[in-house]
Amino acid sequence: MRSRRIVLFTLGMSMAIPILFYFWISPLQLTNPSSAISSLIVVIAIVAILAIVISVAIGIVAQKVRNIKLIFVSLAYASLAAMVLLHGLALPELLNENLQNSYIYAQLSLVLSTVWLWLSALSADHRLVRWLTTKKSYLLPTWCALLVLLGTLIWVFPDQHFLHFMYSELGKRLLTLTVLLFNTWVVYRHLITYMASRFSIQLAIVYSTGWMNTAQIVLITTSPSNLGWWGYHILLFLSVIAVTLMIIGEYKHAESLSVSVKRLYRADPDSWIQTYLTPSVKDLVLKTETKDAYTAGHNYRVTVYALKLGEELGLSSSQLRSIAQGGLVHDVGKLHIPDYVLNKPGKLTDSERQLIEKHPVDGYNMCKQVGFMIEELAIIRSHHEKWNGTGYPDHLVGEDIPLVARVTAVADVYDALTSSRSYRKAMSHEKAMVILIEESGSHFDPECIEAWKKVVEEEKEFFDQMLTNPMGMKRVLS
């Protein structure tokens, strides 16, 4: 709680101090406008270059990991860079008192970047995000072409009605309200995530977006003849430097930038589980835990692993929710298995194995009575199906197996191999990985195994912690 208050206090002060300083200097007039404009062009060039660096760095990672939200962040800073650059080119016109173009570019730098940042903070299963995901291969080139076209049209045809509206008092107020509302929501979303994840890039975007809001206030409350007009440019400089320093800092650490930026939109598995732990799920988990403490711990770990894998594969929020709910109770059908069979240290007889193999259907029948949705039920019923059709209970083949069940199957077998059972000791992580990779294309979906290898490689510390000190269900149910 104390660290949260410190973060909020520091953030508030970082936003308040520039505003207070701006209102202090805003009445002061520039004594040498020509010299001031030359200095501003230098600042603008630095801002544009840094914004390009951010856009390219995050854009490369976004294309590599195929994350649509990272693409949105990249496009936000690409928009900022393009419009700020045009704003700098239009600055000499101020000496002839031609203020409109310079203002329009400055305003568009904030509006366009705000729109993309807002999109990056939307849920992955939002209709607009889903539609843009289908176009993600074309987003970057198309948007860059549109930025060039827009900048050219404003430069060549400055007397268009919409430009005059943007420059009017009403237009300025409406655009300011839009920027402030959208950016405040972005700050809120990223701040909430940062409090849970403590990823540095989350905090960097919070500061960056907050300073964009402050820059918007400065932009509409001063004129180029006042010293306070410098505030807009300094705030944009602070906005891009915050993210730039984070990127530089990440390069100094053992983790690659790809891993750090990738985590920007990767949820904390505990948060997902806590969010979607409904009373019916909690009741089933408690019953399972009472019967078999191993099964309860196993269910939790499988859910955490499956969420990690699901996010690597880019599953939607609704699919991750299904994993969070269905994963916790995927073995609930074992409640019908006698204890002597469930915990038997030796080899199972054919009849005992038949009892074991009934648990997916038993669990499915139990859970469909308490209102589980179809994807959660698919996890419960199909997590023992195999890619080659030799699994149970329905002998599904390949993509006929629901994706959420294929994801859960990888997590389920990995945890079973790395956990001690009544009939054998836990395997090492390395040996378990060898088995999973060997079974790719027979037991497991090859795409899931490739994604699993990436997750394991990128989050070694997390897996070490889970294997040496696994988190139990008490933390979840408390």
Side-chain angles (χ1 to χ4, degrees), residues 372-420:
F372 277 67
M373 301 297 287
I374 189 167
E375 286 194 315
E376 288 103 63
L377 293 174
I379 291 171
I380 297 165
R381 185 180 183 98
S382 302
H383 66 277
H384 281 294
E385 298 289 354
K386 294 184 179 181
W387 186 254
N388 62 9
T390 61
Y392 61 88
D394 301 309
H395 307 292
L396 301 177
V397 180
E399 293 186 359
D400 290 340
I401 306 169
L403 178 56
V404 288
R406 303 196 311 258
V407 168
T408 305
V410 175
D412 184 36
V413 173
Y414 174 80
D415 186 70
L417 293 174
T418 55
S419 302
S420 293

Side-chain angles (χ1 to χ4, degrees), residues 221-254:
T221 55
T222 190
S223 68
S225 62
N226 293 345
L227 188 60
W229 199 59
W230 274 80
Y232 162 80
H233 305 87
I234 297 300
L235 285 162
L236 284 192
F237 173 77
L238 291 174
S239 181
V240 295
I241 203 70
V243 182
T244 305
L245 289 175
M246 181 281 306
I247 290 174
I248 293 171
E250 290 302 327
Y251 271 121
K252 293 180 179 179
H253 291 92

